Amino acid sequence: MDYVPYVTSLEFYLNTKRVQLDNVSPDTTLLQFLRSSDTRLTGTKLGCGEGGCGACTVMVSYLPCHPGPLPASPDLIQHTAINACITLLVSIAGMSITTIEGLGTIQRPHPVQSRMAQYNASQCGFCTPGMVMSLYAYLRSHPHATQEDLATCLDGNLCRCTGYRSIIDAAKSFAQDDLPTPYDDDNG
């Protein structure tokens, strides 16, 4: 029987930078790695630790399994919001992770970040990175999303301060279907 080499390193991309780690513990979560003293990406929050609140949401980008040669097309890349608190670090081998720190800066915020601010969709700010990353990941995979799609794409994210109206309004502002104006009226 031939010997199959045992791989002890993990490679992936984090905010567009290649990362190679050796001897990763199989029970380390992506969130633990992101918030570690080595990485210090603390915008991704620990809320419930069970994948139920969305505070730890990041985007994972990957090529799905595909039989045969892949045509060169960025449309094949899947972008998905995941909960970093329940995602094992070893499960992201070969993938690309985007955190809130990889999205925009204070000087040059991403349009999703700007829109959340414009709509006053944040109060304490604890849930905001997760909300932004969920919306961003959804828009990357669904660029022609409707208002209804965008109203439900944040279902896995909880907010205890702001209430959801301003958050949903900010999300719906990216919709590709007809948007009502504040002056629209059912009475004509």
Side-chain angles (χ1 to χ4, degrees), residues 15-158:
N15 296 332
T16 71
K17 293 181 176 66
R18 185 176 168 272
V19 175
Q20 181 174 349
L21 303 172
D22 293 317
N23 300 313
V24 175
S25 173
D27 63 350
T28 300
T29 66
L30 176 56
L31 182 63
Q32 289 169 328
F33 170 73
L34 293 175
R35 294 184 62 81
S36 71
S37 59
D38 294 331
T39 313
R40 297 182 187 211
L41 296 174
T42 57
T44 305
K45 308 298 186 205
L46 172 60
C48 68
E50 297 176 350
C53 72
C56 65
T57 303
V58 297
M59 183 179 76
V60 62
S61 303
Y62 61 94
L63 280 172
C65 294
H66 188 278
L70 287 172
S73 170
D75 295 336
L76 291 177
I77 298 172
Q78 298 291 311
H79 306 285
T80 305
I82 62 168
N83 293 314
C85 72
I86 59 171
T87 301
L88 294 175
L89 184 58
V90 295
S91 71
I92 63 162
M95 298 181 187
S96 180
I97 302 298
T98 304
T99 68
I100 193 72
E101 290 90 351
L103 202 55
T105 65
I106 292 173
Q107 296 81 15
R108 296 188 61 151
H110 186 274
V112 173
Q113 293 168 311
S114 294
R115 202 72 57 92
M116 293 288 276
Q118 179 184 1
Y119 278 78
N120 298 312
S122 180
Q123 190 167 333
C124 81
F126 189 82
C127 70
T128 307
M131 297 274 187
V132 167
M133 293 310 299
S134 289
L135 181 55
Y136 174 70
Y138 193 82
L139 289 169
R140 286 292 307 265
S141 290
H142 304 90
H144 303 291
T146 65
Q147 290 184 62
E148 185 177 338
D149 297 334
L150 292 164
T152 60
C153 81
L154 299 173
D155 280 353
N157 296 80
L158 300 178

